[in-house]
Amino acid sequence: MDFAFGPEDERFRTRARDWLNEHVAGAFAPSLQGSRRPGAGYDGPPGPADAHRAWERELGAGGWIGLGWDRAHGTYGNRPATLTQQVVWAEEYARAGAPARLGHIGENLLAPTLLAYGDDAQRARFLPPIARGEELWCQGYSEPEAGSDLAGVRTRAVRDPGDGTYRVTGQKIWTSLAQEADWCFVLARTEDGSQRHHGLSFLLVPMDQPGRVEVRPIRQLTGDAEFNEVFFDGAVARAEHLVGGAGQGWRVAMGLLAVERGVSTLAQQIGFAQELDRVVRLALRTGAAGDPVLRDRLVEQWAELKTMRWNALRTLGAASGPGAPSVAKLLWGGWHQRLGELAVRVRGAAAALGPERWTAERPYGLDDAQRLFLFSRADTIYGGSDEIQRNIIAERVLNLPKESRG
């Protein structure tokens, strides 16, 4: 099987690489210094939000946001790109060490959903600001009692009989980038007495509603707070910002999840390869590579990563079944977690020490290996736990009896 890209793809690669070389190392480099790189498993960059917002606008001005969006309903300021060219851009972005994105939720999740399920007015209102890098989004799905079991959401949205607006009340959790987002797409229950996947609706809710929307960061093992709790207390969503129709939220939400693990998987693997390379170089520098067991583990990690890439390329653009995203999630989640374990094992006893002395102002610092190890503990949980992915494969692909959820 030939995994090579064609001549037009390589010309596109040159244009992408030239633009990134100029801009990543240009005016934005000082303000974005130290930002995390794509593929490391992080959902939000540290550092000044203003600099990252400026970077999003720069990407938008260059036409690099929304590559490959369906153009059947019009164009939105972005450039056309084939599926393989989208992969090329994602790979070059990762290779350039470009900053972690603030706008990826709007670009890669909401936009394809509006193209598939939204109406013309919704597409005209929301897609151009996403393409320009001007409006940022977060995802209001998981709740304290409805994480992996998304059909158990209890957030309610009651329609005002007067002006037709919806009043949203409830709590969402593990909401990436909520502290920076301008909007949140929310899965809420709009029909009294409804249960499970019935009676849900997909609403677009503005975050700037003081007293009605509250964001509380969640401190993680790494000391960072990329995730948040979001509390809605009568937050207003306009009637025209209901996507797909009342009570159709489950269909829209499942359509969104189907695009969540697409082209970005290949870019993620570039980031994984960079992390693996750092671990290998560390093993050579410290002499840990002389341990035959550790050396075998490093080779296994390399071989598994190559296999994941070839599988992703093999299925690129194919009409994948319901189990394909679950298989991909199982593969990379476990792989990345094992890499984190291997990184601290290569460090040996030194992995227990921080890179700098802890103070009251800086409770603790972590080096790359320690951060990778701690954050990757969540890889087999967030985005759908391994147990949920196996259930999906068992029930929807292998047609095994469904697990009792009574």
Side-chain angles (χ1 to χ4, degrees), residues 166-356:
Y166 287 88
R167 299 286 179 162
V168 182
T169 301
Q171 178 187 359
K172 298 295 182 178
I173 198 167
W174 309 122
T175 310
S176 303
L177 300 178
Q179 70 273 49
E180 304 297 342
D182 304 297
W183 290 81
C184 181
F185 49 90
V186 177
L187 189 63
R189 201 163 292 282
T190 52
E191 295 181 12
D192 288 337
S194 62
Q195 296 182 356
R196 304 298 299 164
H197 56 275
H198 302 288
L200 297 170
S201 295
F202 190 98
L203 292 161
L204 311 180
V205 181
M207 295 291 284
D208 186 14
Q209 299 191 51
R212 292 176 174 170
V213 179
E214 179 185 358
V215 177
R216 299 180 189 171
I218 300 173
R219 191 65 59 187
Q220 300 152 210
L221 281 174
T222 58
D224 300 315
E226 291 98 355
F227 304 112
N228 305 269
E229 295 177 283
V230 181
F231 297 86
F232 299 100
D233 186 7
V236 177
R238 292 166 58 177
E240 59 266 33
H241 295 164
L242 170 71
V243 179
Q248 297 300 309
W250 187 256
R251 179 175 68 96
V252 178
M254 292 302 99
L256 183 147
L257 291 176
V259 303
E260 186 171 8
R261 302 182 184 110
V263 168
S264 60
T265 299
L266 285 160
Q268 181 187 55
Q269 291 168 8
I270 297 294
F272 287 168
Q274 293 170 340
E275 289 178 331
L276 176 58
D277 181 64
R278 287 194 291 269
V279 174
V280 170
R281 284 189 278 111
L282 178 63
L284 293 171
R285 187 168 65 251
T286 62
D291 182 332
V293 175
L294 275 179
R295 192 166 58 247
D296 284 351
R297 285 284 307 279
L298 290 168
V299 172
E300 286 176 6
Q301 290 289 131
W302 176 87
E304 289 171 1
L305 183 59
K306 288 291 185 183
T307 301
M308 282 195 291
R309 174 173 171 78
W310 290 332
N311 182 65
L313 287 169
R314 179 181 63 85
T315 59
L316 190 63
S320 60
S326 295
V327 170
K329 175 63 167 59
L330 283 171
L331 288 174
W332 74 253
W335 183 92
H336 199 229
Q337 196 170 87
R338 291 191 297 276
L339 181 65
E341 295 167 354
L342 187 57
V344 294
R345 190 172 176 184
V346 165
R347 287 281 309 281
L353 300 176
E356 57 190 30

Side-chain angles (χ1 to χ4, degrees), residues 10-56:
E10 295 306 326
R11 285 190 286 272
F12 187 87
R13 185 185 300 279
T14 299
R15 293 195 295 273
R17 186 172 293 179
D18 290 345
W19 190 91
L20 287 165
N21 286 342
E22 177 183 352
H23 289 76
V24 173
F28 288 91
S31 59
L32 294 170
Q33 187 67 34
S35 294
R36 297 184 190 124
R37 305 303 187 231
Y42 305 112
D43 281 294
D50 288 348
H52 285 275
R53 280 183 173 269
W55 174 247
E56 292 293 325

